[in-house]
Amino acid sequence: SALFETMGSADAATDAAADALLSAVATKMGAAALRRVKAETSALSVKAKKGTRALGCLGFIGGLLTAFLSLLGMLNVLNPLGLLVEAYTFIFGVLLVLLEAQNQCFPLSFFEYWARFITTLGGRGFFYLYVGSLILAKWTLLSLGVGGYMIVVGVLFIAQSYRVSKELKEAEKELNRVEGEAKKQTAGFRTKVKEAWQKYDPEGDGAIYTKKLGRLCKELGRPMEKESLKEAKAQLDADRLGEIDFEDFLRWWAKVSLVEEP
């Protein structure tokens, strides 16, 4: 999410300047927290799709049992409708085996294209419930065991989906809070620089003479050594016109003042 709103005034920094400011403030004041929260949010997003390896193994076993039981059923069913139900259940079992195997070892690109709903924990949970109910309907001792197992796995998937979704919402809320703090800090930094700049740019044309750079840096609380000042002038006035643009100074000052420790 963007941490800066575009400012419409003539003296506003460009997007590049805003990005530089944000990066600088985050680096100095909150980069570690921001990286941590972003990493947690990213990990939870992945978990919301993949789930835990243990749960995936339970699903894999359930798919194998479903496919095996349906294969036995196809060998013993004589009526066409029963054979069709067994065939569908067998396909579902194979699908679950492939899904869990791919989920733990490979990307879910195939399923994301053809059956997106089962690439999430909640979607897979309801799919397990559906397959389990089909197996229970056979009403044999073996089918009751396998069907009950599939329903339990489905409930576990749904429960984990609910838990991960709750954690993800909390992580996103924390991420928004950290980004909001970074935005406030950056806005305060820009205001401070602008106020000092205006003392040396009373006309408000967005540029000052290079000879004023040293006094401006001192005004902002960071006096520059002669050699450093010379390098800064060369960098900020590359075309040698004797003037420094506010936007260029803003980007440079963000780096000097915030990224580099005094």
Side-chain angles (χ1 to χ4, degrees):
S1 58
L3 302 184
F4 282 89
E5 296 179 359
T6 304
M7 299 180 182
S9 57
D11 62 352
T14 60
D15 289 340
D19 290 342
L21 281 170
L22 174 59
S23 176
V25 171
T27 301
K28 178 75 178 270
M29 300 178 174
L34 196 59
R35 285 196 301 268
R36 175 183 58 80
V37 177
K38 282 186 175 180
E40 290 177 358
T41 304
S42 178
L44 286 170
S45 296
V46 173
K47 190 176 180 182
K49 281 191 172 185
K50 297 186 67 171
T52 63
R53 185 173 292 273
L55 197 56
C57 288
L58 291 177
F60 182 83
I61 292 171
L64 287 177
L65 291 174
T66 298
F68 177 72
L69 183 64
S70 300
L71 187 61
L72 290 179
M74 283 189 288
L75 297 176
N76 295 308
V77 171
L78 299 178
N79 65 84
L81 181 58
L83 185 62
L84 183 63
V85 171
E86 294 290 357
Y88 274 123
T89 309
F90 174 78
I91 292 172
F92 291 154
V94 172
L95 180 65
L96 288 172
V97 169
L98 293 175
L99 174 64
E100 297 302 343
Q102 187 185 36
N103 185 35
Q104 297 300 326
C105 305
F106 310 101
L108 288 169
S109 54
F110 173 81
F111 293 100
E112 285 178 345
Y113 183 80
W114 293 104
R116 184 180 295 272
F117 76 98
I118 59 174
T119 63
T120 64
L121 286 176
R124 292 214 300 285
F126 282 107
F127 190 63
Y128 278 106
L129 292 180
Y130 172 69
V131 175
S133 65
L134 285 179
I135 298 173
L136 282 176
K138 299 177 184 178
W139 208 249
T140 64
L141 184 60
L142 188 58
S143 66
L144 289 175
V146 175
Y149 175 88
M150 294 293 284
I151 287 177
V152 169
V153 171
V155 171
L156 290 175
F157 266 93
I158 294 172
Q160 188 176 67
S161 174
Y162 174 77
R163 184 169 60 252
V164 171
S165 296
K166 189 175 180 180
E167 292 174 358
L168 186 58
K169 287 180 180 178
E170 291 297 322
E172 289 174 343
K173 187 184 297 184
E174 178 66 11
L175 179 60
N176 290 334
R177 186 192 67 79
V178 173
E179 288 181 339
E181 287 298 319
K183 181 178 178 180
K184 290 178 183 178
Q185 292 165 355
T186 303
F189 171 78
R190 185 185 186 282
T191 299
K192 179 183 176 182
V193 174
K194 186 63 179 177
E195 288 175 352
W197 175 275
Q198 287 173 339
K199 294 180 181 180
Y200 301 92
D201 180 24
E203 296 82 8
D205 56 9
I208 63 172
Y209 293 116
T210 53
K211 62 184 181 181
K212 297 181 179 180
L213 179 62
R215 282 176 284 168
L216 176 59
C217 293
K218 186 176 181 180
E219 177 78 22
L220 287 167
R222 188 184 176 95
M224 303 289 290
E225 297 291 338
K226 184 177 293 186
E227 190 63 30
S228 299
L229 192 59
K230 183 179 179 181
E231 292 177 2
K233 288 179 179 179
Q235 180 180 345
L236 293 171
D237 184 27
D239 52 10
R240 300 295 188 271
L241 294 178
E243 291 185 339
I244 298 172
D245 184 75
F246 174 70
E247 295 175 1
D248 294 336
F249 176 78
L250 190 62
R251 289 192 293 269
W252 174 79
W253 188 251
K255 178 181 177 182
V256 171
S257 180
L258 297 177
V259 176
E260 299 175 0
E261 292 287 342

